[in-house]
Amino acid sequence: MQEIKKYVEENKQRFLDELFELLRFPSVSADPKYKTDVFKAADFVAEKLKEAGADQVEVCQTAGYPIVYGEKIIDASLPTILVYGHYDVQPADPLELWHTPPFEPTIREGKIYARGSADDKGQFYMHVKAFELMVKTNTLACNVKFMIEGEEEVGSANLSTFVNVNAERLTADVVLISDTSMISMEDPSIETGLRGLSYLEVEVTGPNRDLHSGIYGGAVANPITVLCQMIASLHDGNNHITIPEFYSKVAELTEEEKTALNSAPFDLEEYKADLDIAEEWGEKGYSTLERTGTRPTLEVNGIWGGYIGEGAKTVLPSKANAKISLRLVPNQSSAEIAEIFQKHMESIAPASVKVKVINHHGGEPVVTPTDSVAYRAAEKAIEESFGKKPIPTRGGGSIPIVALFEDVLGIKSVLMGFGLDSDALHSPNEKYDIFNYYKGIETLPLFHKYFAELSK
Ligand code: BES
Ligand code: MN
Ligand code: MN
């Protein structure tokens, strides 16, 4: 531990400068405008992996954005850790809400403000620096493989092909990912579950063209009203989702699991104050932690239609659209849920409109084991570095690759995230604490050490 701290101390400024360089690439995978920047970010990651000491570094082209691969195999008899992360980021919009530019990282009160600082550049880069540290101090305890992708934020459409084609090259004993949150630095935790996702788009079409709302209004169904009614009907008075069969495969937690989940530190009053809401919301009969960690949900992510420009326009629009995502829990399948959602929307649409449902992308839910060698290694590493045993939690977010690695390669993951839910992921003013960045770099080599030791 002393040697680790010493190396971090001596290289502190450079570690931060390099992360800043990475954060300056506006590698927004959703927006084609940033195409060259996304490719440049991939090259930068490859360059840094080489500098850190990785071999066989390759920017693997796909039908979309490249996957950066690198490895260091020191001894075939040692266990292998596959590090996964993503160098792409969410769009920075709405830009006017940022206090400093999203792609010009700025430090305020010990925090790095930039798009991607926590999700996921600041987090995966800790692995690159921890790896450098182990190579340079000759303390590598395991073989290491890196797989850093550029399409996580848009559904990783080309990842499954890559993983299938490269199954041999990706062989490992565990996948290690830092792309999740901890409860706090005082209450370190490890997420042991992620929800799945079905992301869909609904288009409701009424008349074949936009109409004068005075001439036709009252006699022709307004697609916006119809879409709103359809969406409103998707939850009942108990905020239960009304789609038939939606819950049919959902497993209820045992009383023990419930007690364990709810014993994690959580202050509802603080939660509400932080979000400036007078009351929380959710499915009746479940606590907030249960609602986000263990229950499936349906959210409208965007809705549009009609006239939203300056001033007024009396129009009865031809179309209305919404983007809707459903978070899924173990035993639910994203393809099945997409199908029943589509059928349901078609069945509740009145004859006055046509409805079309597009299935964008999906990912499967996972629960990661807490009795594995890898989990115990993560637990020991965090306990040593934070002075406190981490609490297992269930995360509400989704990282589809985790289930994919399990299905295709048969490898389980450990989610060693060092972010906080309050880091404003996907929001304006995303941040990552410099403290967490260095803490992660110090903790990860301990994981390697204990994973090697406990694997013996
Ligand atoms: N890193 C997040 C997921 C996350 C964040 C999990 C915090 C747990 C805690 C990831 O980059 C993400 O945003 N995933 C998307 C899904 C993806 C398919 C677009 C999500 O969860 O919405
Ligand atoms: Mn992420
Ligand atoms: Mn994200």
Side-chain angles (χ1 to χ4, degrees), residues 167-179:
E168 193 73 33
R169 171 151 72 152
L170 297 172
T171 315
D173 297 283
V174 68
V175 180
L176 184 61
I177 304 177
S178 296
D179 194 22

Side-chain angles (χ1 to χ4, degrees), residues 134-149:
M134 292 183 284
V135 171
K136 299 283 148 74
T137 57
N138 235 323
T139 52
L140 261 182
C142 296
N143 300 311
V144 189
K145 293 178 178 178
F146 282 92
M147 183 187 148
I148 314 294
E149 72 149 318

Side-chain angles (χ1 to χ4, degrees), residues 39-358:
F39 279 98
K40 278 189 205 159
D43 291 340
F44 178 86
V45 174
E47 205 43 55
K48 290 295 163 192
L49 275 177
K50 270 185 222 158
E51 280 175 28
D55 305 318
Q56 317 291 336
V57 175
E58 189 185 334
V59 178
C60 309
Q61 299 303 326
T62 70
Y65 289 122
I67 292 165
V68 184
Y69 181 83
E71 62 176 39
K72 185 121 200 136
I73 309 297
I74 49 170
D75 180 346
S77 68
L78 289 173
T80 301
I81 298 172
L82 173 60
V83 174
Y84 164 84
H86 61 95
Y87 63 83
D88 67 319
V89 299
Q90 287 274 324
D93 313 69
L95 284 177
E96 63 279 11
L97 296 183
W98 284 78
H99 301 311
T100 47
F103 299 108
E104 188 39 66
T106 311
I107 297 174
R108 286 196 300 279
E109 290 165 0
K111 297 168 183 74
I112 307 160
Y113 285 86
R115 169 59 83 232
S117 55
D119 186 9
D120 176 41
K121 289 172 174 174
Q123 293 218 59
F124 88 72
Y125 206 67
M126 300 182 312
H127 289 265
V128 181
K129 293 300 97 178
F131 171 68
E132 174 199 308
L133 180 158
M134 292 183 284
V135 171
K136 299 283 148 74
T137 57
N138 235 323
T139 52
L140 261 182
C142 296
N143 300 311
V144 189
K145 293 178 178 178
F146 282 92
M147 183 187 148
I148 314 294
E149 72 149 318
E151 296 187 301
E152 196 276 344
E153 298 292 9
V154 288
S156 309
N158 300 295
L159 201 63
S160 126
T161 309
F162 181 84
V163 172
N164 276 289
V165 171
N166 292 278
E168 193 73 33
R169 171 151 72 152
L170 297 172
T171 315
D173 297 283
V174 68
V175 180
L176 184 61
I177 304 177
S178 296
D179 194 22
T180 50
S181 312
M182 278 197 180
I183 297 170
S184 70
M185 287 299 104
E186 294 72 47
D187 294 302
S189 57
I190 300 177
E191 288 193 13
T192 59
L194 292 164
R195 289 192 290 184
L197 184 75
S198 282
Y199 200 108
L200 303 120
E201 189 169 327
V202 182
E203 182 174 82
V204 171
T205 307
N208 59 7
R209 58 185 188 275
D210 283 5
L211 303 175
H212 187 293
S213 68
I215 300 176
Y216 290 98
V220 174
N222 183 319
I224 300 180
T225 310
V226 172
L227 177 60
C228 289
Q229 285 166 337
M230 288 167 67
I231 289 173
S233 77
L234 298 175
H235 289 98
D236 69 12
N238 292 327
N239 300 326
H240 216 68
I241 293 159
T242 57
I243 303 170
E245 299 304 315
F246 181 73
Y247 294 100
S248 64
K249 294 194 175 158
V250 173
E252 290 288 335
L253 293 192
T254 62
E255 280 311 313
E256 284 84 13
E257 284 175 315
K258 271 195 184 183
T259 312
L261 185 84
N262 289 309
S263 67
F266 175 74
D267 186 330
L268 188 57
E269 291 313 311
E270 250 175 52
Y271 183 81
K272 292 192 290 188
D274 175 49
L275 301 174
D276 205 4
I277 52 172
E279 198 172 89
E280 78 281 16
W281 182 95
E283 197 181 353
K284 195 174 170 186
Y286 297 92
S287 70
T288 298
L289 290 179
E290 286 164 353
R291 285 168 178 167
T292 58
T294 71
R295 296 297 293 169
T297 54
L298 182 153
E299 294 296 329
V300 184
N301 301 112
I303 184 161
W304 68 102
Y307 183 71
I308 51 164
E310 285 293 314
K313 179 185 179 191
T314 47
V315 59
L316 193 167
S318 166
K319 286 184 193 302
N321 300 71
K323 298 208 191 233
I324 294 178
S325 60
L326 299 105
R327 294 280 167 177
L328 314 177
V329 298
N331 301 335
Q332 287 184 301
S333 121
S334 66
E336 243 172 69
I337 293 295
E339 200 180 311
I340 65 166
F341 175 83
Q342 174 166 7
K343 285 216 176 86
H344 182 66
M345 292 307 266
E346 284 163 2
S347 79
I348 62 171
S352 52
V353 299
K354 297 184 204 63
V355 60
K356 192 167 99 189
V357 179
I358 304 160

Side-chain angles (χ1 to χ4, degrees), residues 21-46:
E21 252 186 277
L22 176 60
L23 290 168
R24 287 194 189 100
F25 294 100
S27 48
V28 180
S29 50
D31 189 345
K33 185 168 94 195
Y34 296 106
K35 196 169 168 183
T36 49
D37 300 292
V38 185
F39 279 98
K40 278 189 205 159
D43 291 340
F44 178 86
V45 174

Side-chain angles (χ1 to χ4, degrees), residues 351-371:
S352 52
V353 299
K354 297 184 204 63
V355 60
K356 192 167 99 189
V357 179
I358 304 160
N359 184 4
H360 276 289
H361 58 76
E364 307 314 315
V366 275
V367 171
T368 61
T370 51
D371 57 358

